[in-house]
Each structure stands twice: as structure tokens, then as C-alpha cells.
Amino acid sequence: MGKIIAIANQKGGVGKTTTSINLAASLGVLEKKVLLIDADPQANASSGLGIDVENVSIGTYQVLEHSNNPQDAIVASSSPNVDVIPAHIDLVAIEIELVDKENREYMLKKALESIKDKYDYIIIDCAPSLGLLTLNALTAADSVVIPIQCEYFALEGLGKLLNTIKSVQKIHNPDLDIEGLLLTMYDSRLRLSNQVVEEVQKHFNDMVFETIIQRNVKLSEAPSFGESIINFDATSKGAANYLSLASEIIKKNSN
């Protein structure tokens, strides 16, 4: 039975898509079968794995609308063992279109039932908002990874997200777990980075992943080549960090 993990934070620029792409690729390299679902209209997770988003005719939009079977939307990526359900800019319209549908929060959950067992992990890259798209992802997910940037406003907005998760647990998905808080964009030379790490670990102790994602030039270059960090530079710090995160998640879920 596949485990569905949403990567969510309503703040932009915290490393959600970078984490979605590279966690999926790292799990793939560790011989897990992975499906990455791009649930962000910017479609960066799709292009970051080499998919030409202009030519996506069946993607997350059609899957959410139930006009196509998720099986029809799956494409192979440039990463071993990783398939993708890509997004297209038309996903922007889905929030409006689903508004008056019955059970609109469950559209993704329902759609994924037919393919859940074909994968070890299904990773959902969420949009930087707490709208209907993200709500669908959280309702469909078994757990959520929350990337937190090691910067000044790191904890701002986190309370809001945790409240959203609580209400999703209460109303739509009582089984939703927090997989962990992931510290990203860490720079050991900056006092602020170290303070944020201390602060987050102090407040949330066991909820924080041991792995910390460091700032890494290669990590920010990889998507422009349509490759994960593993394909782009397997010897980089970024690759080591994400492989470590993938191992941590596998270990946690095999207990």
C-alpha cells in the first residue's frame, strides 16, 4: 500500500518543490517506486523533472476534475523509478470549478484510490496557499512534510498551517499525520540560521527531521536542466542531504 505524503507550506520560497522533486528522486534511487503529483499551477515540479509543461494535455487538473483516469495522466520522468502526474497552468482554474461540487475536498483522494497500491510513495507538491488545491492534497495524504526556511520569518505562518492541518484532521482526514518539519536553506556560517534551527528544535523537538537541507548552488541549478539533484550532481551536498532525508523517511515508515 503506497504512502501519500504532501509537501506543504503556504509560504512561497521555502523549498517545497525542491523537496518534492529531490525527495521523490532520492526514494527512487533507494529502489522505491514513486509517483510525484504536481499540485501547483506553476508546474515547477513537472519542469524540474524534465517534463515539457506546455504539452501536458492530461495532468493534475483532469485528475482532480475526474474527467480522466489518473493512469492516463502518469508520465515517466528523467529520474529512475519516479513517475509524474504533471501540472499545467490550467490548474489555476480548478479552485473556481470545484467550488460548487459536492465533496470537493475529496476529489484527489477519490482519484488516487485506483493507483495507490502501485507505488511505495506518492509525493504531492502543494501550491503556496491554503486553498482548495492544498486542502485536496491534505485530505488525500497520509502525512505531511513541512519545509521551513532557516530565515527570520521562518516560524511566521507556521501556526496558521498547523491550524489548517488540525481542522483537516478534525473534518476531512482524521488519519493525517505530520511526517516532520524539514529545515531548508541552512547556512552554517549564519548566526540566524543556527538560531532558527535551535528555535524550531526547541519548540517542536521530535517533529523535526534530523536531516537539515543546506544551501547549495547545485541544488538551485538542477531544475533549470530538468533534473533532480541526484541526476545533476550525485556528489553534491544537496544530493547527500536529500538521500539522508529519504533514508530517514523509509526508516520511520518501516517500523
Side-chain angles (χ1 to χ4, degrees):
M1 189 86 150
K3 175 157 199 185
I4 303 178
I5 301 176
I7 314 284
N9 189 332
Q10 76 274 27
K11 277 170 79 96
V14 296
K16 272 192 301 294
T17 300
T18 303
T19 295
S20 301
I21 292 171
N22 295 308
L23 174 58
S26 301
L27 288 165
V29 166
L30 297 172
E31 298 185 345
K32 298 293 178 191
K33 206 163 164 13
V34 185
L35 174 67
L36 175 62
I37 299 174
D38 194 343
D40 181 350
Q42 293 172 65
N44 292 342
S46 307
S47 59
L49 278 177
I51 289 158
D52 176 5
V53 295
E54 293 306 313
N55 290 318
V56 170
S57 54
I58 303 174
T60 313
Y61 177 83
Q62 287 74 17
V63 171
L64 271 164
E65 256 207 341
H66 294 185
S67 58
N68 281 85
N69 196 317
Q71 203 59 52
D72 306 336
I74 293 172
V75 289
S77 79
S78 57
S79 236
N81 293 324
V82 180
D83 289 341
V84 181
I85 292 184
H88 182 274
I89 190 68
D90 63 6
L91 195 53
V92 167
I94 201 77
E95 305 247 338
I96 299 156
E97 289 178 24
L98 290 183
V99 148
D100 49 7
K101 286 234 165 90
E102 215 178 317
N103 294 331
R104 56 179 186 261
E105 298 89 354
Y106 298 91
M107 300 302 264
L108 187 57
K109 186 184 175 78
K110 253 208 191 77
L112 295 181
E113 277 164 9
S114 61
I115 55 166
K116 193 174 174 179
D117 295 343
K118 295 188 170 78
Y119 294 92
D120 297 310
Y121 290 95
I122 296 177
I123 308 286
I124 308 174
D125 183 32
C126 295
S129 75
L130 292 177
L132 204 44
L133 263 174
T134 300
L135 196 53
N136 260 277
L138 293 174
T139 302
D142 297 306
S143 68
V144 55
V145 168
I146 304 170
I148 298 173
Q149 199 177 355
C150 293
E151 294 200 348
Y152 184 66
F153 291 117
L155 296 172
E156 200 178 75
L158 187 58
K160 200 170 174 189
L161 178 60
L162 293 172
N163 284 338
T164 300
I165 291 170
K166 264 195 197 119
S167 67
V168 169
Q169 286 166 329
K170 212 174 3 203
I171 305 165
H172 306 295
N173 184 0
D175 301 325
L176 182 64
D177 269 334
I178 292 179
E179 190 74 32
L181 306 182
L182 177 68
L183 291 156
T184 62
M185 303 182 197
Y186 172 72
D187 186 339
S188 57
R189 297 164 305 179
L190 298 180
R191 209 171 88 214
L192 180 64
S193 266
N194 292 304
Q195 282 172 339
V196 171
V197 169
E198 274 174 37
E199 191 78 357
V200 172
Q201 286 172 339
K202 191 174 80 190
H203 279 289
F204 297 102
N205 41 48
D206 291 351
M207 283 164 71
V208 187
F209 284 110
E210 278 172 35
T211 304
I212 294 177
I213 310 297
Q214 289 158 295
R215 265 195 195 283
N216 180 249
V217 177
K218 292 276 196 278
L219 209 47
S220 37
E221 284 176 355
S224 59
F225 291 88
E227 290 185 339
S228 73
I229 189 64
I230 312 289
N231 283 18
F232 185 64
D233 185 352
T235 61
S236 67
K237 221 183 245 177
N241 289 166
Y242 277 108
L243 280 165
S244 160
L245 175 67
S247 305
E248 209 178 318
I249 286 177
I250 291 170
K251 192 175 159 195
K252 189 175 170 182
N253 287 292
S254 61
N255 291 343

